[in-house]
Amino acid sequence: MNYSQFQQELLREIPKVDDLIQDLSMEVPHRIKVIACRDVLEDIRSYILSSPNPDAKSVNYETIRDQIEQRLRSILRPSLRPVVNATGVVIHTNLGRSLLPKEVLQVMADVASRYSNLEYNLDRGKRGIRYSHVEGILCELTGAEAALVVNNNAAAVLITLETLARGREVIVSRGELVEIGGSFRVPDVMEKSGAILREVGTTNRTHLRDYESAIGEQTALFLKVHQSNFRIVGFTKDVSISELSGLSARYNIPIFNDLGSGNFIDFSRYGMEYEPTVQEVISAGADLVSFSGDKLLGGPQAGIIIGKKVFIDRIKKNPLNRAVRIDKLTLVALEGILRLYRDPEQAVKTIPTLNMLTLSRDELRSRARRLQRRLRSLKLSGISIGIADTISRVGGGALPLQQLASIAVTLTSQSKSLSAAHIERELRKNEPPVITRIEDDRVFMDLRTIQEEDHAIIARALASTHARLTCV
Ligand SMILES: *Cc1c(COP(=O)(O)O)cnc(C)c1O
C-alpha cells in the first residue's frame, strides 16, 4: 500500500492514548477509558487510510476527546433499554412483544427482591412444584385438566413432541408445515424432537380421509399447527379439531394443537376477526394445546401447555423439562396476567396488548390531536405536522389479515436536509429511541402503540432531531 504524504502526516498527528485518558473528566474505570480511546482512534486511523483526501479536522484534539466521551456514554448505557414503539405493530417481536401492566410489575419487584415460595409447599413445609403457581388458574380459565409452563412456545412444542412421539410418526397437514420466523419451522422442530413427520393432504386442501389413511402402527399423534402469519384463501379445506376428534377417539391417537398465539378473549366482540379461543379448542376435543405467553395473551415470554392430565404428567417427568424451565420472574408475571383474565372486561382494559388492540378510532383521534398540538407548539421550521388515517397491525404472527383502522401523526419535510429518512433515523438514534415508519415520504407515528408517557419523549426527540438536522 502506498499512502500519500498527507495521510502519513495525519496519522502522526493522532493524539496519544495516554494524553487523552489524562484529559477525560468522566468517572469511569481506567480499563473502560482505554477501550473507548482505542476504538475511536482505530476508527480515525482507518478513516484516514481509506479516504483519498481525508479531512484534516479528523485529528483535531478536542473533536477526538468529544468522540471518546460520546463513545464512553454509549459503552456505559445499558444495551437492552426501552424504546418508543410508534410503528403501530402491537405485538412487535423485535420491540419486545408485550408490555406488562403496572399491577404485575409490583408483584415482580417483590418476588425478585425477596425470597419466595417458588418451589416450596407452605402447607407441608416441604419441596413444592414451580408451575403449581399457575396450574390451577390455567385449568380454571381454560377448562383443561392439567397444565404446565415452560420458557416459550417453541420449547412447549419441542418437549410435547419429544415426550409423546419420539421415534414415532406425527401426522400433520401440508397446509400447516409453517415457518414462524426466527428459525422456528415445524418440520425442523419435529426432527429435533426425534418424531417422524408424516405429511398428509396438499398445501390448500386436507381432508379427514387423508388423516385416516395415514394412520399406522407407528402413529403417535395428530398435530394441528396454527398458520399464524399467513392464510391460504380460495379453494381450501382443512380439518377442524372437532372433526379430527372422532378419528382420535376411534384409533386412540391424541391430538396436539400448537395454537401459536392463543387467546382467552373472543376478539370478534371487539369488531375484529374471529379467532377460536383456547377454551373453545379444549372443548372441541384437543388433548393438548400449547401457546405463547407474550403474543395475544399479553403476558411475559412463556410457553403454556394445557390438556389431559395423563399427557401433561408425562411431559412434566421429561428430563428436558428442566432444560426449558420457566424463570421465577416470568412465572410471577404470568400468574399476575392470568389473574387479570378472571374478569375479561377488566383484562381488556388493564392488559396493554388487549387495550391497544381494542382502542377505538375516536380515542386514537383525540390522542393524535393532543400529540399534534404538542409537536406544533415546538414551532419547528421546515416540518409540517399532520394527522392521517392509517392501518395498525396485530403482529406476532397473530391475525395477519386483520387491519386495525388507526390514526397517525405525520411529519412532512419541507426542506432537503430534513428528508423523512433523515428524521426517521435521528428519532431512532434519540435516547430513548423513537421507532417510526415511513409512508409516502412522510414519517408516520401510529397512536395505537404510543403510550401516554411517550408523548413527552417524542416531543423532546423531535426538538433535538430538528436541532441536529438544521444546524449543519
Ligand atoms: C409464535 C409461534 C410459535 C413460537 O412461539 P414462541 O413463544 O415465540 O416460542 C410456535 N408455533 C406457532 C404456531 C407460533 O405462531
Side-chain angles (χ1 to χ4, degrees), residues 93 97 151-155 157 178 180 184 186 225-229 258-261 290-295 301-303 396-398:
T93 295
R97 279 194 186 163
N151 182 49
N152 58 14
N153 188 36
V157 175
V178 302
I180 308 301
F184 182 94
V186 171
V225 184
H226 194 285
Q227 287 179 337
S228 298
N229 47 13
D258 170 13
L259 258 191
S261 203
S290 78
F291 51 100
S292 281
D294 58 352
K295 291 185 179 173
Q301 178 192 304

Side-chain angles (χ1 to χ4, degrees), residues 301-343:
Q301 178 192 304
I304 298 166
I305 313 172
I306 58 173
K308 299 260 165 69
K309 189 168 182 312
V310 274
F311 303 122
I312 295 283
D313 282 346
R314 284 173 59 195
I315 301 171
K316 283 177 179 172
K317 291 199 195 93
N318 187 329
L320 253 188
N321 199 12
R322 173 57 201 262
V324 298
R325 86 176 176 185
I326 192 165
D327 156 70
K328 67 176 178 181
L329 294 185
T330 310
L331 189 62
V332 74
L334 183 63
E335 186 192 1
I337 290 288
L338 294 173
R339 283 154 52 95
L340 293 173
Y341 274 104
R342 282 190 166 138
D343 180 352

Side-chain angles (χ1 to χ4, degrees), residues 159-451:
I159 193 172
T160 303
L161 293 174
E162 213 273 344
T163 310
L164 298 176
R166 185 193 170 113
R168 298 176 63 208
E169 286 185 6
V170 176
I171 303 178
V172 192
S173 160
R174 291 197 167 89
E176 297 174 13
L177 293 174
V178 302
E179 173 178 319
I180 308 301
S183 79
F184 182 94
R185 296 170 130 195
V186 171
D188 297 352
V189 173
M190 182 89 73
E191 197 186 312
K192 281 285 168 207
S193 75
I196 300 155
L197 173 62
R198 183 77 159 84
E199 302 174 32
V200 296
T202 60
T203 305
N204 57 328
R205 288 172 72 83
T206 302
H207 304 270
L208 193 59
R209 61 173 185 274
D210 295 324
Y211 283 92
E212 183 157 21
S213 55
I215 296 172
E217 284 287 288
Q218 284 307 307
T219 310
L221 202 64
F222 292 123
L223 172 64
K224 292 277 298 170
V225 184
H226 194 285
Q227 287 179 337
S228 298
N229 47 13
F230 76 105
R231 291 289 178 271
I232 296 173
V233 295
F235 187 53
T236 63
K237 163 88 182 94
D238 74 347
V239 176
S240 68
I241 299 280
S242 50
E243 287 174 88
L244 203 53
S245 67
L247 272 193
S248 162
R250 193 136 36 92
Y251 291 90
N252 199 21
I253 297 168
I255 305 170
F256 168 36
N257 191 357
D258 170 13
L259 258 191
S261 203
N263 46 295
F264 292 164
I265 305 260
D266 174 4
F267 286 103
S268 66
R269 293 179 48 204
Y270 298 89
M272 295 165 65
E273 273 173 52
Y274 170 72
E275 181 70 43
T277 61
V278 176
Q279 304 87 297
E280 287 168 329
V281 174
I282 286 288
S283 69
D287 297 282
L288 285 166
V289 178
S290 78
F291 51 100
S292 281
D294 58 352
K295 291 185 179 173
L296 280 174
L297 212 65
Q301 178 192 304
I304 298 166
I305 313 172
I306 58 173
K308 299 260 165 69
K309 189 168 182 312
V310 274
F311 303 122
I312 295 283
D313 282 346
R314 284 173 59 195
I315 301 171
K316 283 177 179 172
K317 291 199 195 93
N318 187 329
L320 253 188
N321 199 12
R322 173 57 201 262
V324 298
R325 86 176 176 185
I326 192 165
D327 156 70
K328 67 176 178 181
L329 294 185
T330 310
L331 189 62
V332 74
L334 183 63
E335 186 192 1
I337 290 288
L338 294 173
R339 283 154 52 95
L340 293 173
Y341 274 104
R342 282 190 166 138
D343 180 352
E345 308 266 309
Q346 205 52 34
V348 171
K349 295 200 186 94
T350 49
I351 297 176
T353 300
L354 302 183
N355 182 262
M356 284 186 264
L357 288 173
T358 55
L359 281 173
S360 73
R361 216 165 148 98
D362 286 345
E363 172 59 25
L364 291 163
R365 193 180 303 280
S366 88
R367 292 184 186 188
R369 293 219 173 96
R370 202 145 40 82
L371 181 59
Q372 184 191 37
R373 271 199 302 279
R374 184 161 194 156
L375 299 183
R376 278 186 172 166
S377 73
L378 300 169
K379 304 209 184 307
L380 304 174
S381 60
I383 299 182
S384 88
I385 294 153
I387 285 184
D389 289 348
T390 190
I391 301 291
S392 337
R393 295 280 169 187
V394 177
L399 310 176
L401 302 184
Q402 177 70 54
Q403 305 207 339
L404 302 165
S406 188
I407 311 283
V409 165
T410 61
L411 307 173
T412 314
S413 155
Q414 276 131 6
S415 82
K416 268 237 154 55
S417 69
L418 282 171
S419 73
H422 282 132
I423 298 174
E424 183 276 333
R425 192 191 60 207
E426 289 300 316
L427 288 173
R428 177 157 43 83
K429 288 185 176 170
N430 185 69
E431 205 47 58
V434 178
I435 315 297
T436 60
R437 64 171 205 272
I438 296 178
E439 227 173 81
D440 302 332
D441 223 23
R442 281 181 294 172
V443 173
F444 269 60
M445 297 187 287
D446 188 324
L447 271 293
R448 188 179 297 277
T449 49
I450 294 174
Q451 312 300 304

